[in-house]
Structures are given as structure tokens and as C-alpha cells.
Amino acid sequence: MKNEKIRIKSGNPFMERIERAFFNYKNTAAIETAGTSYTYNEIEQESYAVCRYLLDLKLDAGSHIAVLTDNRYKLICTIMGIIRAGHVFIPLDSAYP
């Protein structure tokens, strides 16, 4: 089940564009940070893991999920997973009390 694709028909134009990018640029670097490069495929797989986790929690649709991380790769993957699962992300800033 780990590699199983989750296809959610949300009609979300943002996610539809992202899905096309995942498909068209699978092995292309999408993020380069701190000397590390991540491909669209790596982002897709990590965001699916976040999505699966949230779906397993059986939260109400549209639940608000707070996100706090300084790691840009994890932030993007988490945001994608939250949106893919049908929830709303709330970014938190550790520099702002």
C-alpha cells in the first residue's frame, strides 16, 4: 500500500496542475535547498504519505491543519498532502510569537 496512488477527484485546479507537473517532470529537480535536490517524484511520494496519514485519521473534510517547519522540502510536501486530503493548511511562523 505504500506505493499505492491516491487519486482524489476534488476538481481543485491547483492540484490538477500539480498532478500534471508530477507526471511531466517526474525525474526533474523541483526543489534545491541546502545543497540537496529533490525531484517532482520525491515530492509526490512524500505528499502521498502525508495525505494517507491524514485520511487514516478520518478528520472532517476541510479540517484546518497547522504546519510548523523550517525545512522547505517538508513544508511543500506537507502542504501538498494536506490539500490532496481535502483539508486546509495553516502555516505557522516560529519567528512570530
Side-chain angles (χ1 to χ4, degrees):
M1 178 154 168
K2 185 175 182 178
N3 293 324
E4 178 182 326
K5 295 284 185 185
I6 299 171
R7 294 289 179 219
I8 298 173
K9 301 291 183 189
S10 67
N12 181 329
F14 172 74
M15 284 310 299
E16 289 172 6
R17 292 181 104 174
I18 296 298
E19 292 288 341
R20 279 195 302 270
F22 286 151
F23 180 78
N24 291 330
Y25 304 106
K26 193 165 276 305
N27 296 314
T28 303
I31 301 172
E32 293 182 11
T33 181
T36 305
S37 179
Y38 300 96
T39 66
Y40 281 89
N41 186 55
E42 290 171 310
I43 294 170
E44 180 181 34
Q45 295 307 311
E46 187 68 26
S47 68
Y48 275 132
V50 172
C51 178
R52 266 194 238 54
Y53 175 78
L54 293 172
L55 292 175
D56 288 347
L57 291 176
K58 300 189 184 331
L59 302 170
D60 292 335
S63 291
H64 294 92
I65 311 293
V67 178
L68 175 65
T69 182
D70 291 328
N71 182 310
R72 293 182 191 273
Y73 168 70
K74 288 183 180 183
L75 177 63
I76 290 171
C77 294
T78 301
I79 290 170
M80 295 293 175
I82 291 169
I83 294 170
R84 183 175 271 136
H87 300 300
V88 177
F89 73 93
I90 301 172
L92 301 177
D93 185 352
S94 62
Y96 188 74

